[in-house]
């Protein structure tokens, strides 16, 4: 059987001073078969991304420059608009500026694309990032909704799921680690690693800029699920984060709170947007949701007293309220500083 030729656009969003990461990604993706376009969205970086990209001498690389940081939502929206309107590529592969794909990562995606009989606007693929423990467990066969859409949870907390979670923890201590599945269903995914056809953009549109950063990728890709499409995690296609995400190395203790300890503008948007997203899609019982909310916030208040983080707790409550009331969009620094 003849090997199918694809026209693939790689879309990367960058910001600040991250050329040390971006250069590695660009050098890798420009070596991959079937890559016909590489779009780099410059979200007000502190250096000339366009000039640095020219040094690579590859006319497939095109830079979309913003003088203001529009966040991941605005950045990927601009990039997807450019992909849809200015290129003839059939597929787009989204990557963060620190997502270094394995040399065969893209090939693994294209190999599996035609194994599903679904139409081009009814499926999407997602590469595996091994530092995301939940994604690894999903790749090994766990139900994604155990981690990603837990009904009536508040900021991931659900008292009524505690016995089940304890069972899983105990089981995992004795369970033999299984290998990866060929593919696994996810209800939504991050931008970094998403692979889909241009017809999907026609179906679901563009990211919602009012999120600015955090959970905008969850909301955007969940539209695929809402429209009846299936997102497949493909474990054989792997990308490595060469820069560590916020909080991924944070050491948890039961008397401390990652939200209060690492409070920043990033935490504000993460909390607000997560509350807004999950309250729309995972609340099936308002009473249970309310109990989980009260218990979680009470716990955070107690921790704030123990750790002298009362001011951060007040800001945390503002983010919670903004999420519950739909106070989206970019906000003034006084909300989080």
């Amino acid at each position: 059987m003849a090997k199918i030729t694809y026209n693939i656009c790689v879309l990367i969003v960058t910001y600040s001073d991250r050329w040390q990461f971006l250069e590695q990604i660009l050098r890798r993706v420009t070596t991959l078969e079937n890559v016909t376009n590489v779009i780099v969205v410059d979200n007000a970086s502190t250096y000339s991304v366009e000039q640095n990209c020219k040094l690579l001498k590859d006319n497939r690389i095109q830079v979309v420059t913003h003088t203001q940081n529009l966040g991941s939502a605005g950045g990927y929206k601009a990039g997807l608009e450019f992909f849809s309107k200015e290129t003839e590529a059939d597929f787009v592969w989204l990557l963060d500026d620190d997502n270094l794909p394995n040399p065969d990562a893209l090939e693994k995606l294209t190999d599996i694309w035609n194994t599903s009989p679904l139409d081009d606007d009814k499926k999407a693929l997602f590469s595996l990032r091994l530092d995301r423990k939940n994604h690894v467990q999903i790749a090994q066969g766990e139900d994604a909704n155990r981690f990603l859409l837990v009904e009536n949870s508040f900021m991931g907390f659900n008292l009524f799921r505690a016995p089940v979670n304890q069972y899983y923890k105990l089981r995992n201590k004795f369970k033999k680690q299984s290998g990866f599945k060929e593919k696994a269903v996810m209800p939504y995914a991050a931008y970094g690693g998403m692979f889909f056809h241009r017809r999907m953009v026609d179906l679901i549109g563009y990211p919602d800029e009012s999120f600015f950063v955090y959970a905008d990728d969850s909301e955007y890709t969940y539209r695929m699920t809402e429209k009846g499409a299936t997102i497949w995690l493909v474990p054989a296609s792997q990308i490595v984060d060469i820069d560590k995400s916020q909080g991924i190395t944070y050491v948890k203790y039961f008397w401390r709170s990652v939200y209060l300890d690492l409070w920043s503008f990033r935490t504000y948007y993460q909390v607000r947007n997560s509350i807004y997203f999950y309250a729309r899609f995972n609340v099936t019982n308002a009473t249970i949701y309310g109990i989980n909310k009260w218990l979680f916030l009470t716990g955070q208040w107690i921790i704030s007293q123990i750790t002298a983080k009362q001011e951060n707790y007040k800001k945390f409550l503002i983010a919670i309220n903004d999420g519950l009331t739909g106070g989206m969009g970019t906000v003034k620094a006084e909300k989080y500083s």
Side-chain angles (χ1 to χ4, degrees):
M1 181 181 295
K3 190 174 181 65
I4 299 173
T5 299
Y6 297 93
N7 293 323
I8 299 170
C9 173
V10 176
L11 168 56
I12 307 166
V13 174
T14 191
Y15 66 101
S16 187
D17 184 7
R18 295 172 61 81
W19 180 247
Q20 61 176 316
F21 306 122
L22 177 61
E23 181 182 13
Q24 295 180 63
I25 313 308
L26 291 173
R27 290 190 181 277
R28 175 62 54 81
V29 299
T30 51
T31 67
L32 302 180
E33 188 177 7
N34 298 320
V35 171
T36 56
N37 302 84
V38 179
I39 302 169
V40 178
V41 178
D42 171 12
N43 252 347
S45 297
T46 57
Y47 67 100
S48 176
V49 173
E50 186 168 16
Q51 289 299 318
N52 280 30
C53 285
K54 287 180 179 178
L55 298 176
L56 300 180
K57 298 180 180 179
D58 193 316
N59 59 16
R60 290 173 296 173
I61 302 174
Q62 296 171 283
V63 179
V64 178
T65 303
H66 293 152
T67 57
Q68 178 183 355
N69 190 336
L70 303 180
S72 54
Y76 279 105
K77 178 183 179 183
L80 285 167
E81 287 178 331
F82 193 95
F83 158 69
S84 296
K85 301 172 184 178
E86 304 296 334
T87 81
E88 296 181 358
D90 301 309
F91 296 89
V92 63
W93 193 25
L94 309 185
L95 294 174
D96 294 336
D97 64 3
D98 62 346
N99 289 162
L100 183 65
N102 284 0
D104 64 349
L106 184 56
E107 182 181 8
K108 295 298 185 182
L109 294 177
T110 56
D111 283 347
I112 208 168
W113 181 262
N114 282 330
T115 64
S116 168
L118 297 175
D119 292 340
D120 289 336
D121 60 354
K122 292 300 179 184
K123 59 184 175 182
L125 305 180
F126 182 58
S127 301
L128 177 64
R129 295 152 77 170
L130 291 173
D131 62 344
R132 305 301 168 107
K133 293 181 180 180
N134 290 349
H135 292 184
V136 170
Q137 292 184 66
I138 294 168
Q140 293 171 333
E142 292 287 352
D143 182 358
N145 286 330
R146 175 187 159 199
F147 309 105
L148 303 182
L149 276 182
V150 182
E151 289 186 349
N152 305 309
S153 62
F154 187 87
M155 294 298 295
F157 173 79
N158 190 327
L159 173 67
F160 304 95
R161 290 279 301 179
V164 176
N165 291 336
Q166 289 304 312
Y167 160 74
Y168 280 122
K169 287 182 180 179
L170 181 63
R171 184 204 63 177
N172 290 343
K173 288 182 179 180
F174 301 97
K175 181 181 178 182
K176 184 178 179 180
Q177 190 173 21
S178 59
F180 291 147
K181 305 295 183 181
E182 181 183 52
K183 56 186 180 181
V185 176
M186 299 183 71
Y188 59 84
Y191 291 128
M194 281 297 302
F195 177 88
F196 49 92
H197 196 273
R198 65 164 51 244
R199 286 182 59 193
M200 183 63 77
V201 181
D202 296 335
L203 180 69
I204 67 171
Y206 302 106
D208 184 347
E209 291 178 282
S210 70
F211 278 77
F212 187 53
V213 290
Y214 293 109
D216 49 306
D217 47 4
S218 301
E219 188 276 334
Y220 182 61
T221 56
Y222 190 65
R223 291 185 216 165
M224 299 178 183
T225 300
E226 284 190 298
K227 293 289 187 179
T230 301
I231 301 171
W232 296 102
L233 171 64
V234 181
S237 173
Q238 297 181 8
I239 55 181
V240 177
D241 290 338
I242 54 178
D243 185 30
K244 295 298 182 182
S245 299
Q246 171 175 287
I248 204 166
T249 58
Y250 178 79
V251 179
K252 297 179 181 179
Y253 297 99
F254 72 88
W255 67 88
R256 301 206 69 94
S257 164
V258 64
Y259 304 109
L260 305 183
D261 286 346
L262 300 183
W263 183 261
S264 66
F265 85 95
R266 292 181 178 274
T267 314
Y268 168 84
Y269 284 109
Q270 181 182 28
V271 170
R272 184 200 69 179
N273 294 352
S274 296
I275 289 292
Y276 178 75
F277 172 68
Y278 288 110
R280 293 165 63 199
F281 298 115
N282 77 338
V283 178
T284 60
N285 187 306
T287 300
I288 293 177
Y289 180 75
I291 292 172
N292 287 325
K293 173 188 172 184
W294 183 83
L295 288 172
F296 180 83
L297 292 180
T298 299
Q300 294 293 305
W301 178 84
I302 292 172
I303 291 172
S304 74
Q305 301 300 309
I306 294 173
T307 59
K309 295 288 195 314
Q310 294 94 334
E311 288 303 312
N312 285 354
Y313 178 73
K314 291 177 183 178
K315 297 168 187 174
F316 179 68
L317 288 183
I318 291 173
I320 294 285
N321 184 66
D322 286 350
L324 290 173
T325 58
M328 303 296 285
T330 54
V331 299
K332 294 181 179 179
E334 61 194 39
K335 286 265 188 176
Y336 48 78
S337 61

